[in-house]
Amino acid sequence: MFKKTVVTAMAVAVAFGATACGSSDSGSGGSGGGGEDGSITMGFSQVGAESGWRTANTQSIQDSAEEAGIELQFSDAQGEQENQISAIRSFIQQRVDVIAFSPVVETGWDSVLLEAQRAGIPVILTDRSVDSEDDSLYETFLGSDFVEEGKKAGEWAVENWGSQPTYVAELQGTTGAAPALDRQEGFADAIEGTDNIQVVASQSGDFTRAGGREVMEAMLNSNPQINAVYAHNDDMALGAIEAIEAAGKVPGKDIQIISVDAVRDGMQALADGKINFIVECNPLLGGQLMDLAEKVVAGEDVPKRVVTEETTFTQEQAIEALPNRQY
Ligand code: GYE
């Protein structure tokens, strides 16, 4: 059944190939795509299920596709770039109307994106971007400004930690991922010149709770002077809290913690005083993604960059926001 659909789709593609899909046009998706009945099929390659943020993001995409009547081919890459590349190739073969994905790391996408472009299938980057010279390889990038998030974290650190010697353990996200690179950069820029704040250890905890715990344990062993943590996401901060408590210290007091995301468990830890400050990163991108997909498939112009709006939370603000938090 599945095979037959693919074959039919391929035959249609071949029949119209030369004109409708062009061979290597701009890939601007202006072919007026969509199925005969106007329905849209989206191939979506997700990073994995590494964090509370990711779970909320997946849910938002699935719900929004259903609401918009977009048929979603969802593929979970389990944190591996090669799985994402195979998923994208299979979406190209199936001739979906639009491909969206959240690239696990920044580099290494050019050839598969070129394949999509040559097949005339528009690509939307969501959540994370790619580091490519050629921005014609995708239509738009929808997601947060991660450098800005790092900056907000760093500014809070300067204000709250800058007057006493602060030895920071940085728990980085997945190595090579845009949010890890950019959150590190934004934070470093913001604390630069504040002599009291030093990042004494910085390592990847892969955006997971287990990773955060493991890295924090090792860091506390080798750097007993650590009295602050900057975690690139809530899950790693929650893992770090476990390691800090296991070491007989009080998270939020002996060791203050800043993190990024503001998912429910993180917000609860902030409300409980175990985390001290959270920079929000919004995972609910599904609605905007489906709107962009509809426009791109219809050949309409879309902005090359759509930045999501975000805030920050102190303990008081977390207590206030928690009852209405959706994720
Ligand atoms: O902050 C983290 C997740 O790419 C913004 O990935 C996303 C990040 C998010 O695993 O929790």
Side-chain angles (χ1 to χ4, degrees), residues 168-175 201-223 226 229-232 235-237 239-244:
V168 183
E170 179 177 28
L171 301 175
Q172 297 175 31
T174 302
T175 307
S202 182
Q203 209 183 308
S204 171
D206 212 14
F207 280 131
T208 66
R209 206 176 278 217
R213 183 185 168 118
E214 203 179 300
V215 171
M216 192 70 221
E217 254 165 29
M219 284 175 168
L220 287 172
N221 282 333
S222 47
N223 299 282
I226 286 170
V229 169
Y230 167 43
H232 290 186
D235 286 77
M236 291 191 295
I241 288 171
E242 292 172 20
I244 292 167

Side-chain angles (χ1 to χ4, degrees), residues 50-54 102 127-128 144 146 149 179 183 207 232-235 260-261 281:
E50 74 283 1
S51 63
W53 191 98
R54 189 66 52 197
S102 172
D127 158 35
R128 301 182 183 177
S144 311
F146 301 131
E149 291 172 351
R183 285 173 187 166
F207 280 131
H232 290 186
N233 80 344
D234 288 343
D235 286 77
V260 186
D261 275 355
C281 180

Side-chain angles (χ1 to χ4, degrees), residues 12-31:
V12 171
V14 169
F16 290 96
T19 43
C21 302
S23 48
S24 61
D25 68 7
S26 70
S28 61
S31 58

Side-chain angles (χ1 to χ4, degrees), residues 18-241:
T19 43
C21 302
S23 48
S24 61
D25 68 7
S26 70
S28 61
S31 58
E36 279 160 33
D37 55 353
S39 67
I40 294 174
T41 301
M42 170 188 281
F44 186 90
S45 169
Q46 180 60 291
V47 169
E50 74 283 1
S51 63
W53 191 98
R54 189 66 52 197
T55 308
N57 180 247
T58 293
Q59 191 68 53
S60 162
I61 287 160
Q62 290 173 337
D63 292 350
S64 306
E66 205 180 322
E67 253 164 59
I70 291 181
E71 192 195 318
L72 188 67
Q73 305 273 352
F74 184 90
S75 169
D76 176 338
Q78 303 188 333
E80 300 294 335
Q81 181 173 32
E82 56 185 63
N83 293 344
Q84 288 200 297
I85 292 175
S86 328
I88 294 168
R89 292 213 163 107
S90 125
F91 295 148
I92 296 172
Q93 261 177 4
Q94 291 172 56
R95 301 212 52 83
V96 298
D97 299 304
V98 56
I99 292 171
F101 78 115
S102 172
V104 59
V105 291
E106 272 190 344
T107 55
W109 299 103
D110 284 29
S111 48
V112 74
L113 291 180
L114 203 60
E115 289 167 35
Q117 188 176 71
R118 291 203 170 124
I121 301 176
V123 172
I124 299 177
L125 302 177
T126 171
D127 158 35
R128 301 182 183 177
S129 189
V130 298
D131 183 5
S132 170
E133 298 275 294
D134 182 1
D135 72 1
S136 80
L137 292 174
Y138 58 89
E139 301 304 313
T140 179
F141 165 39
L142 162 69
S144 311
D145 181 339
F146 301 131
V147 176
E148 187 59 30
E149 291 172 351
K151 215 173 117 207
K152 288 179 190 164
E155 282 164 359
W156 189 88
V158 169
E159 218 167 278
N160 293 273
W161 297 344
S163 58
Q164 63 269 333
T166 306
Y167 304 103
V168 183
E170 179 177 28
L171 301 175
Q172 297 175 31
T174 302
T175 307
L181 295 163
D182 294 353
R183 285 173 187 166
Q184 180 169 36
E185 179 190 324
F187 186 81
D189 284 352
I191 64 165
E192 203 190 317
T194 307
D195 294 337
N196 265 332
I197 304 180
Q198 274 179 59
V199 177
V200 293
S202 182
Q203 209 183 308
S204 171
D206 212 14
F207 280 131
T208 66
R209 206 176 278 217
R213 183 185 168 118
E214 203 179 300
V215 171
M216 192 70 221
E217 254 165 29
M219 284 175 168
L220 287 172
N221 282 333
S222 47
N223 299 282
Q225 84 273 39
I226 286 170
N227 58 359
V229 169
Y230 167 43
H232 290 186
N233 80 344
D234 288 343
D235 286 77
M236 291 191 295
L238 293 163
I241 288 171

